[in-house]
Structure formats: C-alpha cells, structure tokens
C-alpha cells in the first residue's frame, strides 16, 4: 500500500479496463449510501470509481479526514473490489483495515477516514490538507457496535459495596466492559452509542447482562444497576418511560430473588413528577432507588426531600480528601443528617484511604465503595472468595 504514490495507483486503475467491467457494473447496479443524517445515495455507474475529497472524484466527500483521492472501486473478474489509494487516515471494511483488493458484498460497511457508507445494489474539491486522525479505533468501534447490543461482547464487572461498621461486602455495583477494540470502557461504549442514538438500548443490555452474571454470586448480595440519562428524559416521553419500566419489570421477573438497587443520577431529570412515578414503580417491583453522584454539582435538595431515595451515593469528588478538609466535613455532615432524617442510607463513593474511611464513619455513612475495598472485577474473582474483601 505504501510503496506507490497516489498518482501511480490511479494510473494503474485507469489502464486497460476491459469492456466486461462496464457490463458488470450496469448489470449489478451497485450504489453507495451515506450513513450521515442526509442518507445520500450515489450509484456506481462506471469503473474505476474514485472516492475522495477533491471534486474530480466519482464520489466527492468534503470531509477533513478524507484524502484528496482516498479509495477506488474496481471490477476484478466477477467481483466488485475496493482499494485504498495511500490515504492519510485509511479505509476500513466492516470495521477492519482494508486489504487491498478486498471483495465487496451487499451490506458491507465502508469507512473513508471517519465517513461511513454502506455498499449495496439498487432495488427494481478543495485543496486543504487532510487532517491526520486516530480514526482507526473510531471506525472499528462503529463497525462492531451492533455486537454490544446483542450482548455477545459485553463483560460485566462487579465492584464491592461494603458496610463500614464491619468492612464486610453487602453488594456489588455492575460496571460494564467489552472485548471490542474502541469499545472497551463505558465511556467509549456510550460515546459511540450516542452517535447511533442507542444509549438507552445499550443501558438496558448492560443491566440484563450484569444480572445474568450476578447469578453466580450469593443471592444475599444486593446488586446496584445503573441507568443512562437518555432513559430519563425531562419531560418524560411515553416511549422512554415504557421502555424503561418494561425493562425493569422484565428484570424482576427473570431474577425474582436478587436484591436490586437502581441508580439514577440526581441531576439526570428535573421532573419531580417523573421521579415520583419511578419510585412508585420500583417499590412495586421491590427495587430500591439510589441517587448517584450526589454533590457532584449543585446538590438537588428538592428532589432529595420530595422524592427521597433509599440510598444516597455521595460523589467521589467530595469524599476523597474529606479527612483533611474541615470545611467540607461540615458541609457533608449537614447533608448526611438531612438524608438520614429522610430515611436514606448514605454511601460514600471513591474511598481510597483509611483516613477518609474513618471520616465517613464519623459522619454517619453506613456504606462505601472504592479502591480501598476492591476494584471492579469479573464475577469469577468474587465468586472464588468466601469473603470478597481482599
């Protein structure tokens, strides 16, 4: 790929093309469909069919990650093939680096830089420099995203939640990982999911796979499940509400014996009416409600008072270093007292030192999680231990 210049590769493509190639193209009626919002369809009417940023291409894509002459479609025998023209950011076929001369099939996903197209068959430039980009992992992630939604590549991890008075594990928070390139962590997964408008769907799959794995643990452990803000719109739409409540009902039916807590970011919705409805549904399903990352921004005291949760998880940012800051201790002390008066159990997130642990106990926290007690690990790690604490 790198041995020839772009012009040499183009010259090779245009030399001595047989008439049979044109006949093949007319018969097959191939077309490229953009996966952008516009969904533009471009028929492949001839070969060589060049693709790139400059205006003299058969398909001109005005995007900074696309090279001037990026790739070309050719006919070899009875196959449509794709070749890269030494582009800066490369060409991907179904999320994998292109092997020049790769045969294309109906429905294949093509990435030219970061721009995505599909190849199918019809039914009945400017001179600015190409922007270098770490586009390979991005394109691979998009190409493999469907494997997350069918759960085949998700790997639930479990982080212990401990009772501070005796340091024993009482539950686990489910944190998802994957084996796919570019989709290894929740941040990466949900960033790509957002571009596919699939954050809510991915969140539902993460909860289901987490509970499937949790059946390997003792049924006495409480399992903490996360939500995504896309599932908690404000104002709540009927579709989003139905999808969330139906998924929770399905989980409770599948796993009737597992104690469950559903975590909701306390700033994810500003609708007290929605939170009230959610709390009522959870109570009917025997699922506890937790507000996550409390205090990360402005503490939402209205929600805390009007729709009090079963568990209040204090954000890592106000827990770490708590032992060294009297001013912060005074603030947290007041919030813990309010929460306890409302019947909520306070949980400290991100505890990593003995000093912060002692400070949390003095302030009235009953539960904690953090690296001091254990990192997120596969279920097999915890299942192998009689007492999950290291």
């Amino acid at each position: 790929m790198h041995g020839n210049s772009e012009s040499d590769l183009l010259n090779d493509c245009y030399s001595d093309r047989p008439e049979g190639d044109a006949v093949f193209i007319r018969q097959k009626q191939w077309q490229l469909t953009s996966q952008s919002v516009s969904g533009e369809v471009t028929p492949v009417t001839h070969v060589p069919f060049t693709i790139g940023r400059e205006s003299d291409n058969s398909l001109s894509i005005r995007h900074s990650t696309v090279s001037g002459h990026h790739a070309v479609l050719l006919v070899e025998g009875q196959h449509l093939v794709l070749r890269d023209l030494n582009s800066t950011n490369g060409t991907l076929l179904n999320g994998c680096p292109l092997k020049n001369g790769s045969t294309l099939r109906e429905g294949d996903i093509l990435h030219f830089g970061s721009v995505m197209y599909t190849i199918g068959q019809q039914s009945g430039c400017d001179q600015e420099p190409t922007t270098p980009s770490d586009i390979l992992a991005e394109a691979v992630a998009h190409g493999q995203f469907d494997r997350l939604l069918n759960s085949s590549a998700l790997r639930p991890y479990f982080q212990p939640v401990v009772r501070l008075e005796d340091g024993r594990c009482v539950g686990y928070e489910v944190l998802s990982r994957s084996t796919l390139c570019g989709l290894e962590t929740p941040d990466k997964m949900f960033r790509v999911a957002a571009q596919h408008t699939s954050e809510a769907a991915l969140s539902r799959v993460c909860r289901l796979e987490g509970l499937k794995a949790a059946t390997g643990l003792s049924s006495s452990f409480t399992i903490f499940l996360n939500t995504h803000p896309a599932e908690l719109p404000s104002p709540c739409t009927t579709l989003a509400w139905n999808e969330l409540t139906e998924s929770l009902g399905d989980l409770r039916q599948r796993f009737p014996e597992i104690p469950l807590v559903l975590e909701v970011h306390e700033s994810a919705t500003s609708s007290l009416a929605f939170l009230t409805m959610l709390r009522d549904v959870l109570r009917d399903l025997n699922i506890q409600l937790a507000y996550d990352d409390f205090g990360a921004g402005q503490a939402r005291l209205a929600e805390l008072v009007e729709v009090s949760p079963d568990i209040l998880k204090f954000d890592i940012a106000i827990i770490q270093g708590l032992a060294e800051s009297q001013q912060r201790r005074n603030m947290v002390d007041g919030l813990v007292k309010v929460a306890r008066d409302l019947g909520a159990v306070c949980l400290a997130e991100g505890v990593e030192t003995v000093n912060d642990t002692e400070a949390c106990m003095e302030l009235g926290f009953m539960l904690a999680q953090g690296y001091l007690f254990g990192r997120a690990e596969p279920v097999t790690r915890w299942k192998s231990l009689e007492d999950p604490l290291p």
Side-chain angles (χ1 to χ4, degrees), residues 183-229:
L183 296 167
E184 298 89 348
T185 65
D187 286 347
K188 293 179 180 179
M189 291 182 206
F190 281 97
R191 178 175 53 79
V192 173
Q195 297 176 50
H196 289 255
T197 322
S198 298
E199 306 103 303
L202 179 57
S203 184
R204 293 193 294 271
V205 172
C206 289
R207 288 196 293 268
L208 176 58
E209 292 306 306
L211 284 182
K212 287 180 180 178
T215 57
L217 298 167
S218 168
S219 60
S220 64
F221 289 122
T222 298
I223 302 301
F224 290 71
L225 301 171
N226 285 289
T227 56
H228 188 276

Side-chain angles (χ1 to χ4, degrees), residues 1-6 8-9 12 84-86 100:
M1 169 177 166
H2 300 290
N4 297 317
S5 67
E6 176 185 293
D8 290 337
L9 292 170
D12 290 343
D84 186 271
L85 296 174
N86 279 343
N100 273 338

Side-chain angles (χ1 to χ4, degrees), residues 114-186:
S114 63
V115 182
M116 183 163 63
Y117 279 76
T118 56
I119 185 75
Q121 292 174 288
Q122 299 177 39
S123 56
C125 149
D126 52 47
Q127 297 299 316
E128 65 185 44
T130 302
T131 304
S133 172
D134 183 16
I135 210 63
L136 177 58
E138 181 79 9
V140 169
H142 281 280
Q144 300 186 102
F145 179 72
D146 285 348
R147 291 182 60 191
L148 283 184
L149 294 187
N150 68 28
S151 76
S152 63
L154 273 175
R155 297 292 182 268
Y157 276 50
F158 295 78
Q159 185 175 32
V161 173
V162 304
R163 187 171 53 216
L164 283 174
E165 66 177 1
D166 57 13
R168 293 191 64 84
C169 179
V170 296
Y172 296 91
E173 180 179 356
V174 177
L175 301 168
S176 295
R177 306 286 187 267
S178 96
T179 59
L180 301 177
C181 180
L183 296 167
E184 298 89 348
T185 65

Side-chain angles (χ1 to χ4, degrees), residues 17-81:
R17 304 309 305 177
E19 176 60 23
D21 289 3
V23 174
F24 175 86
I25 288 296
R26 288 195 299 269
Q27 290 176 339
K28 294 294 184 179
Q29 296 184 307
W30 293 98
Q31 61 185 18
L32 288 164
T33 303
S34 171
Q35 296 305 294
S36 66
V37 175
S38 65
E40 180 181 358
V41 177
T42 304
V44 180
T45 57
H46 57 274
V47 289
F49 187 93
T50 58
I51 300 153
R53 196 176 68 243
E54 293 186 2
S55 58
D56 62 349
N57 286 284
S58 308
L59 170 59
S60 179
I61 305 173
R62 297 302 183 94
H63 194 278
S64 62
T65 63
V66 178
S67 294
H69 295 95
H70 195 105
V72 62
L73 293 172
L74 300 167
V75 172
E76 292 183 3
Q78 292 299 303
H79 301 288
L80 184 69
V81 300

